[in-house]
Amino acid sequence: MDDVDCRTLRPPVLSSMTASLRRTNQKETVIRDKYTVFAPFYDLLSGEYPVYHAGRVLGIEALAPTRGQQVLDIGCGTGLNFPLLQECIGASGTIVGIDRSAEMLRQARRRARARGWENVILLQADMVLLDPRSIAARIQESGGAAVSDAALATYSLSLMRDWQQAWTNMTGLLAAHARVGVVDMQDPVGWARWLTPLARLACALGGSDITAAPWQAVEDRCVDVVLASARGGHLQIRAGKTTHDG
């Protein structure tokens, strides 16, 4: 009888939240383990040059960082954005790469060392959970500025269980009226609709939510927004200037 009473009194909402949190944590573990295993081969297996490199190019063109600026690369992975960013900011600028995967950061560090880039700061952190003030202090300890001039998130926000919180944390690391760019994925449109199953499979294998549409934050919370797309609408690019005062 006591056992029946205990089950009856268990708050159903709390039980549901607990189960949901458990599923989320399991998904996070799977994603992290996947990137740990595939980090050394990520550049070859990710479809970068046939598909996704085009989004990086358009995203950085829309972001338009300039010489000497400090740019956050959110979910920097193996550093595939670094060559394009270096062309814009030069040796006097700084790239701050943030990623939750130690193995991906190890590949990014190898890339920077191989190219002789001494203006790259790499930090391991979860954008959803981090404290912006703590990360700002770590950036300063590594020789960077506490606040950055721009931020770029390419194919990373859709990987995060709460990309809205990641956006808030990201913008908390920026100077007043900084520029922000988001490059991410959706179902192809128009003539490319027939590629939808392939696009969804690629996103599922990578752990991305193809329905997340995180670029909407740029449209809703920024001004002077630049819009672009590529690969039959599969890649969506947005960049704009934040309206907060820092």
Side-chain angles (χ1 to χ4, degrees):
M1 184 66 177
D2 290 341
D3 184 49
V4 173
D5 289 343
C6 287
R7 288 199 299 270
T8 302
L9 292 173
R10 181 181 300 160
V13 174
L14 182 59
S15 298
S16 177
M17 290 174 60
T18 301
S20 177
L21 181 60
R22 185 180 299 112
R23 288 193 297 271
T24 298
N25 289 339
Q26 289 173 344
K27 179 182 179 182
E28 288 289 295
T29 301
V30 168
I31 292 173
R32 290 180 182 181
D33 289 348
K34 183 181 299 182
Y35 280 98
T36 296
V37 171
F38 289 107
F41 318 105
Y42 177 82
D43 294 359
L44 293 175
L45 300 178
S46 64
E48 172 66 16
Y49 287 97
V51 180
Y52 297 106
H53 185 72
R56 297 183 193 277
V57 172
L58 290 172
I60 292 173
E61 286 179 355
L63 185 67
T66 58
R67 294 280 167 180
Q69 287 192 326
Q70 180 170 295
V71 180
L72 295 177
D73 189 351
I74 303 302
C76 67
T78 64
L80 289 169
N81 287 330
F82 293 177
L84 296 168
L85 288 173
Q86 293 284 3
E87 290 178 7
C88 297
I89 65 172
S92 61
T94 303
I95 297 172
V96 179
I98 301 177
D99 202 284
R100 65 189 177 192
S101 168
E103 290 299 322
M104 296 290 271
L105 287 173
R106 185 172 289 110
Q107 299 304 315
R109 189 170 291 108
R110 288 176 179 172
R111 185 187 302 274
R113 287 174 178 170
R115 302 289 187 90
W117 295 326
E118 298 182 355
N119 61 340
V120 177
I121 297 170
L122 298 175
L123 300 177
Q124 184 179 6
D126 187 321
M127 283 303 302
V128 176
L129 302 176
L130 64 78
D131 173 16
R133 290 173 298 181
S134 175
I135 292 298
R138 288 173 61 187
I139 294 172
Q140 283 185 297
E141 290 170 1
S142 300
V147 294
S148 296
D149 303 295
L152 179 67
T154 52
Y155 313 119
S156 58
L157 292 180
S158 62
L159 284 167
M160 301 177 190
R161 64 184 180 277
D162 186 354
W163 68 259
Q164 293 92 341
Q165 182 61 50
W167 170 276
T168 299
N169 292 338
M170 174 178 68
T171 54
L173 291 165
L174 297 177
H177 309 299
R179 288 189 63 77
V180 181
V182 172
V183 180
D184 229 302
M185 300 162 286
Q186 68 172 14
D187 286 340
V189 297
W191 64 267
R193 286 185 184 276
W194 68 275
L195 293 170
T196 295
L198 183 60
R200 290 185 178 182
L201 176 61
C203 288
L205 291 174
S208 298
D209 178 2
I210 200 170
T211 68
W215 57 83
Q216 289 179 350
V218 180
E219 297 179 1
D220 295 342
R221 305 172 197 177
C222 295
V223 296
D224 302 328
V225 175
V226 178
L227 300 86
S229 64
R231 300 298 186 256
H234 177 46
L235 311 183
Q236 292 293 313
I237 299 95
R238 304 290 189 277
K241 183 169 64 176
T242 61
T243 56
H244 72 82
D245 293 323

